[in-house]
Amino acid sequence: MPTSHLNLDLIDPDDMVSVDPLNNNFNKIDAQLADGVIERGASGDWWYRKYRNGRYECGIEFKWFDKSNLTNVANAFGVSKQYDFGPYPITFVGRPYCNITFEDENGGNYAHCYGWIIMDKSFQRSRAPWFKVAIDRGNAPIKPACGIHVIGRWK
């Protein structure tokens, strides 16, 4: 009869001659940990998780940026100044996936707030991309609170 959570084989008290149940359990635990987190922590504003298989994940959950006046673009929407989160905790092996979220100090009306990421090739593996926030609600200044989530490879 196996254990309820990891499905590990239990050793029958009368079966102390065979090492098979123990070896089977060690193999099951090893398989469960194949993609396990081998390091986690913080580096400056960043939190991070480093996985055994080479994946690396990091982020900043919430950061206020300076207030920015908006530059009107084609009388359609305003664009903030350029922002960035600075360097990553590591230099990734390849270009990582990056997602930036935001809201403004007025509560972040997501139906009317749009942002995009501007990537600079010389920094794409070692620092977060620069970005601007575009707002379609006029020219009022914006003070964004942003978060970032990055997934890539450390090896």
Side-chain angles (χ1 to χ4, degrees):
M1 179 165 136
T3 61
S4 58
H5 295 292
L6 291 177
N7 196 29
L8 299 177
D9 295 327
L10 295 175
I11 300 169
D12 184 90
D14 296 328
D15 192 21
M16 292 306 291
V17 176
S18 174
V19 296
D20 290 342
L22 291 174
N23 288 338
N24 289 339
N25 286 338
F26 288 134
N27 287 330
K28 289 177 182 179
I29 292 170
D30 189 58
Q32 293 277 334
L33 299 176
D35 191 23
V37 174
I38 58 173
E39 184 181 328
R40 70 179 66 218
S43 177
D45 291 336
W46 295 89
W47 60 264
Y48 68 87
R49 286 188 291 252
K50 185 177 183 180
Y51 293 82
R52 181 174 286 111
N53 71 354
R55 185 169 29 129
Y56 190 92
E57 182 179 23
C58 60
I60 297 174
E61 292 175 7
F62 185 81
K63 181 177 181 175
W64 282 105
F65 286 93
D66 295 335
K67 188 170 272 196
S68 173
N69 288 321
L70 300 178
T71 303
N72 193 293
V73 177
N75 293 323
F77 54 92
V79 178
S80 73
K81 69 179 184 178
Q82 185 168 287
Y83 297 109
D84 80 90
F85 289 93
Y88 296 129
I90 65 163
T91 297
F92 288 93
V93 172
R95 181 176 171 178
Y97 161 80
C98 176
N99 184 36
I100 295 175
T101 60
F102 68 93
E103 63 178 74
D104 67 20
E105 66 184 335
N106 298 318
N109 183 348
Y110 285 94
H112 297 292
C113 295
Y114 301 97
W116 62 89
I117 298 171
I118 300 170
M119 299 289 284
D120 180 55
K121 288 185 179 186
S122 63
F123 296 114
Q124 66 184 354
R125 295 185 315 116
S126 62
R127 76 178 289 120
W130 295 306
F131 67 98
K132 294 181 180 184
V133 178
I135 306 294
D136 70 352
R137 62 178 163 84
N139 292 329
I142 183 172
K143 181 178 173 90
C146 300
I148 184 171
H149 185 220
V150 183
I151 302 172
R153 311 244 357 127
W154 64 272
K155 69 173 183 175

